């Protein structure tokens, strides 16, 4: 397909890619689906009012759906509720105490636990009582720095029970990242653990916490969960073992009732793991957030009372907050929590888990899918994955080939795939297929969720018509939207509300097709300008991944005297294959054929890995540094710092050999 007419003439982004495959929902899936076509016919007010009443138990009903004083929204005004009550207590009261809340699978083989809702309630009540003894009450900021153990969910729920806002820091971050976040929120308590497991090795959470706490003076108490049992340094007067704190505490829910909170009371801060700037302290409140996550979880994942649902993210990211802890528990869903990496002890670990627990819904990221693609389908083929009924994706644009691979090799060619677009800021999924209704197109997140008003704007702030591309915006507030940045109203205003008056600008590019489907094009900062054509990275990457030899690709621009920018591609081949000059020619031609000569990469650097953030997003900013021969910028959020040195040396070699075209 060629560049669309008129492109380069002030268009925000030109689009090149055309994907013709279509997948209608299987009729038997459609019949039983939680979301039926009439879901789209309700008005905004009607939809969110009904969902709030259906999905959440209120101590006191709300009086008004929402109030919108740009750029701040409030939802469910006057309502009183408690999230822990909704996620735990009410299920036990309803007689579901014996239902499994979490199947937990430790990384070391054979370490497993089954946590029922009743057990979860006891654990939460005990910890909440213990925290109360340490002075935690409504409004006390609590930091949490743990691995993927059920106690991480328990810690969050105990905070929610007391009305103490939490700040979960991903359990792989450094002491500086941890102390920065603790100081910013002035946390009074930190909940951590001795060590966590990762790829067969221990990670020293408590030692890192000790270093962080040396420069986090607001933290008066540190609660330490014992996971591995290896010795750690405890500071007398400040540190207390989880077990010692909770053993004497009552597990009777009446001993620690759920604090009635206002809809707009702060639930948590989460520092966004941006690929560029300084972390942003994103604030989520109680009522709107819970309604948002529970509603989207119910309809998009088509969760049933007997579902075994697995969101294979880390609880330390928003995906885990919303879709491992709060959404699923509010819906009384049985979930799986896995502690470790997908390749420990072998590359079939995930598929083994799915087979054992008969998981019917799997939610993961494109980066994980592409990793499994790189390893090859034989690992999944060793296991019976026929329990899988639905697959979800989140975190980055998904390349059509990865989407197809996921559907074929994991979903047995029948499970619908829902690509879900959202952000830490949005709290809940905003754009996604509804699996019983939507005819999906590989690579498209399809349509805005009911009660979400998304649009794509051009440079002038006008809505583009079908076939157009530009900036993704949300035109109306939504219940789970962020309530700002903690103590930084100017940056909040500047970041989302200054590009186009009156609408939320997400920072992402998108295209809308003839059917009104949205195709996410990546961060607008990553758009490449070649001879005045503004090309999104994802389209070129998808064209590369479309070649059968390619597992993963990332592209960026480098300055070019003739074309403004030239495209540099970083490519990982399947099965660990090395690149060659012939492969380079093949791939450059493949891109030209697939989407047009304008998008033909000037250079291709073959690399065994791509630089990614801890949450799996490709850091194109660092690739730009490599491509431009610049010293590397901030690498502290990289998952594996070695990767970028390797790429830099390969990149230097190649780019020094003379730049093609
Ligand atoms: C990207 C993760 C395309 C996007 C929940 C967004 C996606 C950022 C998708 C938010 C998707 C997330 N398709 N891009 N389905 N999902 N993104 O805050 O650039 O970690 O702005 O939230 O990830 O990342 P965050």
């Amino acid at each position: 397909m060629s560049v669309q007419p008129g492109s380069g003439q002030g268009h925000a982004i030109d689009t090149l890619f055309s994907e013709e495959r279509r997948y209608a929902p299987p009729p038997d899936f459609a019949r039983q689906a939680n979301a039926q076509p009439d879901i789209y016919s309700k008005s905004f007010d009607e939809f969110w009012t009904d969902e709030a009443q259906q999905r959440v138990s209120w101590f006191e009903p709300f009086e008004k759906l929402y109030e919108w004083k740009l750029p701040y929204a409030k939802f469910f005004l006057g309502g009183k509720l408690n999230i822990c009550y909704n996620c735990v207590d009410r299920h036990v009261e309803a007689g579901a105490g014996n239902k499994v809340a979490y199947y937990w699978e430790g990384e070391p083989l054979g370490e497993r636990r089954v946590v029922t809702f009743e057990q979860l309630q006891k654990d939460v009540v005990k910890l909440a009582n213990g925290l109360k003894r340490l002075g935690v009450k409504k409004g006390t900021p609590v930091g949490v720095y743990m691995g993927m153990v059920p106690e991480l969910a328990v810690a969050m729920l105990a905070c929610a029970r007391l009305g103490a806002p939490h700040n979960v820091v991903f359990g792989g971050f450094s002491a500086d990242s941890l102390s920065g976040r603790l100081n910013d929120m002035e946390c009074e308590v930190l909940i951590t653990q001795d060590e966590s497991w990762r790829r067969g090795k221990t990670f020293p959470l408590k030692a890192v916490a000790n270093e962080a706490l040396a420069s986090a003076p607001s933290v008066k108490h540190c609660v330490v969960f014992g996971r591995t049992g290896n010795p750690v340094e405890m500071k007398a007067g400040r540190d207390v073992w989880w077990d010692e704190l909770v053993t004497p505490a009552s597990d009777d829910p009446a001993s620690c009732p759920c604090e009635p909170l206002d809809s707009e009371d702060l639930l948590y801060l989460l520092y966004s793991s941006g690929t560029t700037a300084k972390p942003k302290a994103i604030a989520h409140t109680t009522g709107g957030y819970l309604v948002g996550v529970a509603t989207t979880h119910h309809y998009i994942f088509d969760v049933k009372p007997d579902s075994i649902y697995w969101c294979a993210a880390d609880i330390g990211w928003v995906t885990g907050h919303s879709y491992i802890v709060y959404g699923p528990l509010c819906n009384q869903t049985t979930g799986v929590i896995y502690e470790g990496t997908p390749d420990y002890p072998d590359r079939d670990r995930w598929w083994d888990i799915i087979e054992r627990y008969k998981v019917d819904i799997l939610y993961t990221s494109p980066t994980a899918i592409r990793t499994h693609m790189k390893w090859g389908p034989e690992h999944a083929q060793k296991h019976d994955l026929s329990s899988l009924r639905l697959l979800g994706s989140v975190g980055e644009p998904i390349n059509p080939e990865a989407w197809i691979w996921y559907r074929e090799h994991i979903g047995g060619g029948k499970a619908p795939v829902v690509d879900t677009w959202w952000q830490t800021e949005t709290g809940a999924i905003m754009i996604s297929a509804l699996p019983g209704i939507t005819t999906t197109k590989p690579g498209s997140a399809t349509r805005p969720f009911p009660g979400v008003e998304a649009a794509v704007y051009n440079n002038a702030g006008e809505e583009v018509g079908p076939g157009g591309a530009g900036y993704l915006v949300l035109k109306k507030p939504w219940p789970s939207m962020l309530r700002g940045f903690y103590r930084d109203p100017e940056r909040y205003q500047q970041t989302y509300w200054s590009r186009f008056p009156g609408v939320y600008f997400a920072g992402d590019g998108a295209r809308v097709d003839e059917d009104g489907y949205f195709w996410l094009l990546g961060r607008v900062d990553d758009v490449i300008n070649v001879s005045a054509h503004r090309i999104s990275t994802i389209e070129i990457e998808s064209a590369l991944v479309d070649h059968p030899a390619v597992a993963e690709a990332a592209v960026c621009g480098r300055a070019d005297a003739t074309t403004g920018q030239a495209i540099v591609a970083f490519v990982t081949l399947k099965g660990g294959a090395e690149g060659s000059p012939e492969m380079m020619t093949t791939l450059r031609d493949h891109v030209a054929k697939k989407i047009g000569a304008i998008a033909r990469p000037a250079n291709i650097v073959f690399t065994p890995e791509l630089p990614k953030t801890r949450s799996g997003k490709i850091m194109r900013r660092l690739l730009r540094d490599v491509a431009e021969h610049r010293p590397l910028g901030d690498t502290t959020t990289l998952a594996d710092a070695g990767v970028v040195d390797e790429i830099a040396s390969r990149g230097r070699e190649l780019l020094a050999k003379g730049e093609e075209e």
Side-chain angles (χ1 to χ4, degrees):
M1 192 181 160
S2 61
V3 178
Q4 308 247 320
S7 58
Q9 315 300 314
H11 279 221
I13 303 174
D14 300 315
T15 67
L16 310 170
F17 206 93
S18 138
E19 169 57 62
E20 303 297 339
R21 289 167 285 194
R22 304 283 178 272
Y23 298 91
D28 48 342
F29 193 107
R31 254 190 308 277
Q32 57 84 62
N34 291 353
Q36 292 296 325
D38 61 348
I39 194 172
Y40 288 112
S41 59
K42 283 191 181 180
S43 71
F44 177 92
D45 285 28
E46 201 186 354
F47 180 74
W48 287 118
T49 305
D50 289 355
E51 293 302 324
Q53 280 158 356
Q54 238 184 77
R55 256 157 257 300
V56 168
S57 303
W58 301 83
F59 293 152
E60 281 176 40
F62 54 92
E63 286 145 14
K64 192 173 168 196
L65 175 62
Y66 77 114
E67 189 184 281
W68 179 219
K69 292 190 181 142
L70 200 104
Y72 293 99
K74 291 181 178 170
F75 271 83
F76 309 117
L77 288 89
K80 297 261 186 283
L81 74 162
N82 183 284
I83 287 194
C84 182
Y85 179 75
N86 275 278
C87 289
V88 184
D89 295 58
R90 66 169 177 159
H91 306 317
V92 178
E93 286 171 14
N98 288 332
K99 184 170 176 181
V100 175
Y102 290 121
Y103 288 109
W104 178 77
E105 174 99 3
E107 192 186 76
L109 282 180
E111 286 198 29
R112 291 179 198 131
R113 281 163 57 191
V114 177
V115 184
T116 62
F117 278 99
E118 189 182 356
Q119 188 60 48
L120 186 62
Q121 184 183 43
K122 288 190 166 143
D123 291 349
V124 169
V125 168
K126 275 168 131 350
L127 181 67
N129 272 321
L131 291 173
K132 269 205 301 204
R133 266 213 340 266
L134 300 179
V136 175
K137 53 183 192 303
K138 185 180 169 193
T140 309
V142 175
V144 182
Y145 179 65
M146 299 179 78
M148 286 286 283
V149 288
E151 282 69 18
L152 170 48
V154 169
M156 294 161 75
L157 292 162
C159 289
R161 188 176 194 89
L162 299 171
H166 58 68
N167 172 3
V168 178
V169 180
F170 170 65
F173 272 147
S174 65
D176 279 352
S177 308
L178 176 58
S179 63
R181 287 159 169 78
L182 294 173
N183 288 331
D184 199 52
M185 198 188 185
E186 294 175 80
C187 292
E188 294 178 25
V189 172
L190 174 66
I191 307 176
T192 186
Q193 74 188 50
D194 51 2
E195 298 174 317
S196 58
W197 283 110
R198 199 185 149 71
R199 197 168 283 121
K201 296 201 177 70
T202 57
F203 181 83
L205 289 164
K206 179 62 165 77
V208 175
N210 282 345
E211 198 185 327
L213 289 177
S215 53
S218 58
V219 179
K220 303 286 177 286
H221 300 281
C222 177
V223 180
V224 187
F225 174 69
R227 164 71 184 104
T228 64
N230 291 327
V232 294
E233 200 184 306
M234 299 284 282
K235 185 170 166 186
R238 183 193 69 190
D239 298 351
V240 54
W241 286 103
W242 177 297
D243 273 355
E244 284 169 14
L245 186 71
V246 304
T247 305
S250 167
D251 64 7
D252 175 3
S255 69
C256 184
C258 294
E259 182 79 25
L261 299 179
D262 189 88
S263 281
E264 287 301 330
D265 278 333
L266 184 62
L267 172 65
Y268 67 75
L269 295 187
L270 188 60
Y271 289 73
S272 83
S273 58
T275 50
T276 47
K278 165 176 176 276
K280 300 172 283 227
I282 288 163
H284 282 293
T285 57
T286 303
Y289 177 78
L290 189 63
V291 172
V293 297
T295 305
T296 48
H297 181 256
H298 175 77
Y299 291 117
I300 295 169
F301 298 113
D302 196 50
V303 184
K304 301 294 191 242
D306 59 353
S307 280
I308 312 289
Y309 158 88
W310 185 19
C311 168
D314 194 287
I315 294 176
W317 310 125
V318 74
T319 305
H321 281 56
S322 297
Y323 297 108
I324 298 178
V325 180
Y326 293 119
L329 292 179
C330 186
N331 291 335
Q332 203 190 98
T333 304
T334 298
V336 172
I337 296 180
Y338 170 52
E339 184 180 35
T341 57
D343 53 353
Y344 187 85
D346 289 308
R347 291 176 169 178
D348 67 340
R349 185 65 189 269
W350 275 23
W351 320 124
D352 180 58
I353 292 173
I354 288 172
E355 181 173 23
R356 174 145 10 87
Y357 296 106
K358 301 204 166 23
V359 170
D360 65 332
I361 305 160
L362 174 66
Y363 190 30
T364 184
S365 62
T367 189
I369 298 163
R370 290 187 305 251
T371 300
H372 289 294
M373 259 173 94
K374 188 164 71 183
W375 292 341
E378 59 273 21
H379 307 287
Q381 282 156 4
K382 284 189 216 147
H383 296 274
D384 175 7
L385 305 183
S386 60
S387 56
L388 284 173
R389 203 168 62 78
L390 178 68
L391 304 173
S393 171
V394 60
E396 282 191 297
I398 180 163
N399 322 101
E401 278 327 299
W403 193 104
I404 296 280
W405 190 94
Y406 193 29
R407 184 186 143 91
E408 292 303 317
H409 292 287
I410 308 306
K414 63 174 186 1
V417 176
V418 290
D419 172 20
T420 63
W421 177 85
W422 59 296
Q423 309 177 294
T424 307
E425 291 87 335
T426 68
I429 297 167
M430 297 282 104
I431 303 179
S432 171
L434 289 173
I437 305 176
T438 317
T439 292
T440 50
K441 306 181 185 182
S444 171
T446 78
R447 296 176 60 186
F449 188 72
V452 172
E453 292 200 11
V456 176
Y457 280 11
N458 64 15
N459 283 327
E462 298 145 352
E463 206 162 324
V464 303
Y471 306 97
L472 178 62
V473 300
L474 298 167
K475 297 200 293 185
K476 210 174 164 133
W478 61 97
S480 63
M481 76 186 277
L482 77 167
R483 301 301 196 259
F485 292 159
Y486 192 59
R487 295 184 184 155
D488 197 352
E490 283 93 56
R491 191 173 174 211
Y492 172 60
Q493 167 76 40
Q494 178 60 33
T495 309
Y496 310 107
W497 304 96
S498 61
R499 180 67 183 82
F500 302 109
V503 302
Y504 173 89
F505 170 47
D508 284 336
R511 159 167 86 91
V512 192
D513 71 14
E514 327 64 61
D515 299 322
Y517 280 32
F518 287 66
W519 298 73
L520 275 300
L521 299 174
R523 306 295 297 168
V524 293
D525 302 344
D526 293 332
V527 168
I528 305 173
N529 196 328
V530 186
S531 308
H533 295 295
R534 297 192 25 98
I535 303 177
S536 88
T537 55
I538 181 67
E539 296 197 315
I540 308 167
E541 289 159 7
S542 291
L544 286 162
V545 176
D546 180 72
H547 190 278
V550 175
E552 189 154 42
V555 307
C556 66
R558 64 163 167 76
D560 182 278
T562 323
T563 56
Q565 281 191 303
I567 297 166
V568 181
F570 297 81
V571 170
T572 304
L573 297 177
K574 281 187 187 156
E578 284 286 325
S580 64
E582 295 72 45
M583 183 53 89
M584 198 175 303
T585 309
T586 306
L587 294 181
R588 296 177 69 234
D589 291 346
H590 187 76
V591 173
K593 187 157 148 260
K594 188 87 191 162
I595 58 176
I598 185 85
R600 186 196 300 268
N603 316 94
I604 295 183
V605 180
F606 292 100
T607 168
E609 295 285 346
L610 293 170
K612 295 189 188 142
T613 63
R614 303 293 185 117
S615 63
K617 293 190 207 303
I618 297 172
M619 288 182 79
R620 295 182 186 75
R621 173 174 63 77
L622 290 179
L623 296 176
R624 279 198 291 272
D625 290 342
V626 171
E628 301 262 26
H629 307 282
R630 278 194 301 260
L632 298 179
D634 182 12
T635 55
T636 49
T637 57
L638 268 182
D640 176 357
V643 169
V644 74
D645 295 333
E646 163 92 20
I647 295 174
S649 78
R650 286 176 184 240
R652 260 194 304 277
E653 222 173 273
L654 177 120
L655 297 165
K657 274 192 208 148
E659 321 207 307
E660 296 184 55
E661 289 190 355

